[in-house]
Amino acid sequence: MKKCLLLCALVSPFALTGQAIAGANTAQLNCSGSHAGQAISLVGAIPASIVEVDLKLTYGAQTLGLASPQAEATERTDFRRGIFKLDVALPGANRLQLQAQPKSIKYKGSMGGGKLNASFVATIQEAPEPFKAVLKGAELRCSYAYDI
C-alpha cells in the first residue's frame, strides 16, 4: 500500500461526470501562491480511482500532512463543466476545502483518454488548523496532471 503524506481522496464514479476512470493511477496536484507575505503550497498525488491521497500543505515555514486514515477526502472533477472541488475532513471539525474558479479552468485531454492536464485558480474555502484563520480566502494557482 502506498505511503500517504497529505490527504486521502475518495473519487466516486459520479465525481468524473462523463469521464471514465482508468486504472488506479494518480493525478498530480501542484498549487502555489502567497498570502500575507508568506508562500503557500498544496502539492501531492490525488489518486484517480482509489481512496488514498498524498498531499502536503505548506504556509511559510509550517507544513501539514493530510493523509489516510486520519483524513477523509472527496474530490469532484469535471473540467468540461468548470468544476474542481477538493474537500478533506480531518478529526473534529477540522477540514481543507479547495475550489477552482470555474472561468479560470483550462484543460487539455481527458481521463478516459488516459491523459489530462489542467490549470486553474483555486480559492481555499476552509483551511485546517494551524492555518484556519489565516488561509481562508487565499488564492492559489494550480496545475493538475493525470497520465496513465
Side-chain angles (χ1 to χ4, degrees):
M1 184 174 251
K2 285 185 179 178
K3 195 175 186 182
C4 290
L5 292 177
L6 196 53
L7 64 114
C8 297
L10 172 61
V11 179
S12 73
F14 305 106
L16 299 168
T17 306
Q19 298 176 1
I21 297 173
N25 296 305
T26 60
Q28 296 297 314
L29 181 65
N30 188 341
C31 301
S32 63
S34 66
H35 186 70
Q38 298 288 322
I40 307 168
S41 70
L42 178 62
V43 179
I46 302 173
S49 62
I50 56 178
V51 174
E52 296 172 359
V53 172
D54 182 3
L55 290 174
K56 188 169 35 173
L57 176 63
T58 302
Y59 178 63
Q62 292 184 308
T63 298
L64 177 65
L66 306 171
S68 62
Q70 294 82 18
E72 293 181 18
T74 57
E75 176 190 352
R76 182 158 184 246
T77 304
D78 188 342
F79 292 120
R80 291 181 300 152
R81 293 192 174 124
I83 298 169
F84 176 83
K85 295 179 182 180
L86 179 65
D87 186 0
V88 183
L90 300 163
N94 213 9
R95 70 184 330 112
L96 169 69
Q97 291 181 326
L98 183 72
Q99 181 172 340
Q101 297 172 6
K103 292 183 179 184
S104 74
I105 294 175
K106 294 178 179 29
Y107 73 96
K108 187 174 185 177
S110 71
M111 292 284 217
K115 185 170 186 159
L116 181 134
N117 290 295
S119 63
F120 50 88
V121 174
T123 304
I124 296 176
Q125 307 279 310
E126 194 169 335
E129 292 296 348
F131 310 123
K132 190 174 193 112
V134 71
L135 290 185
K136 185 174 182 176
E139 289 187 359
L140 302 173
R141 295 202 179 283
C142 299
S143 65
Y144 178 100
Y146 173 81
D147 194 0
I148 292 180

